[in-house]
Amino acid sequence: MSKKSLPITRKQGKARLGDQIRSIADRLKQETDVQIKTTSRILGAAAQIAENHDRLISEVVDMVELDLNVEKQVSQKHIYTIDIIKQQFKTLRDAKAHFNLKVSSWESLVNKLNAASYQTTITQNKTQSNRSLTDKNVRNCEDNHNNIEKLTVLLEPDVVEMFPNSEAVNETLRFLIRVMSKNSF
């Protein structure tokens, strides 16, 4: 009797072992399918991130180019040329008298005007960047403490190097606001 029960038990053990192996193989296949789907989703998300990144970079570049073009147009308004000065004044004598400059030619007049304009811009920027709060500024701040539209912010020296005046700070913050509002997800 014991001889007959052994082969049956071995066959049952082999069958159970085979079922267990098949079960493990099925689970591995299911896990592999899940991993493939997950990897596919991750790659899809990465592709979407790359596309959004490229679009964001393009939008930022476009905005910067637009701002630079506007700034260039504004700065070109302050550049004098001989033709512009000749259109405004009939004679060199009239132009010299108007600008209170001593020059011998139209060209030297234009050079002095453009140099003076450039120097004034640099001096104004340096003055504004080195300026600290004065009593007048403090009084203005106290007078406007109820006015939420105005806010006094103290800039650290390293920031002042990049943003020499309030106009530069506001321009940069507006640019940042445009970028953030365009790319709200």
Side-chain angles (χ1 to χ4, degrees), residues 8-182:
I8 294 173
T9 328
R10 278 189 184 165
K11 285 182 182 178
Q12 287 175 345
K14 284 183 182 179
R16 275 191 274 175
L17 183 60
D19 289 341
Q20 288 176 345
I21 290 172
R22 276 193 279 293
S23 174
I24 291 171
D26 287 342
R27 278 189 281 157
L28 286 174
K29 186 177 184 258
Q30 288 173 352
E31 287 180 17
T32 302
D33 289 343
V34 168
Q35 288 176 350
I36 289 170
K37 288 178 184 176
T38 303
T39 302
S40 176
R41 286 181 180 166
I42 290 170
L43 290 174
Q48 185 66 41
I49 289 169
E51 184 180 314
N52 290 342
H53 180 264
D54 289 345
R55 185 175 45 86
L56 176 63
I57 295 284
S58 294
E59 288 177 9
V60 169
V61 167
D62 290 345
M63 283 188 240
V64 168
E65 285 176 346
L66 181 66
D67 288 349
L68 288 174
N69 288 337
V70 168
E71 186 177 318
K72 183 178 177 183
Q73 290 171 354
V74 168
S75 68
Q76 285 179 343
K77 291 179 184 177
H78 301 293
I79 296 175
Y80 294 98
T81 64
I82 293 173
D83 292 336
I84 291 171
I85 298 298
K86 281 185 175 180
Q87 288 174 1
Q88 287 181 326
F89 303 98
K90 292 180 182 178
T91 65
L92 179 60
R93 174 184 275 170
D94 292 341
K96 290 183 341 183
H98 175 79
F99 292 110
N100 197 22
L101 292 173
K102 293 182 181 180
V103 293
S104 58
S105 69
W106 288 102
E107 186 177 348
S108 58
L109 175 65
V110 166
N111 289 340
K112 280 191 176 186
L113 289 172
N114 288 333
S117 174
Y118 178 72
Q119 194 62 34
T120 302
T121 303
I122 291 174
T123 305
Q124 285 175 348
N125 285 345
K126 283 184 179 177
T127 302
Q128 289 174 354
S129 67
N130 294 329
R131 182 177 52 193
S132 63
L133 282 176
T134 62
D135 290 341
K136 180 182 175 191
N137 290 10
V138 172
R139 267 187 256 113
N140 285 343
C141 185
E142 289 170 356
D143 292 342
N144 293 327
H145 76 281
N146 289 329
N147 187 356
I148 295 177
E149 292 178 8
K150 293 184 180 184
L151 175 68
T152 301
V153 178
L154 298 177
L155 302 177
E156 297 293 323
D158 60 322
V159 177
V160 170
E161 289 178 17
M162 295 302 295
F163 304 101
N165 55 42
S166 62
E167 183 180 336
V169 173
N170 287 326
E171 202 172 299
T172 303
L173 290 174
R174 286 185 189 104
F175 176 76
L176 182 60
I177 290 166
R178 286 198 319 258
V179 169
M180 288 173 32
S181 65
K182 267 190 163 185

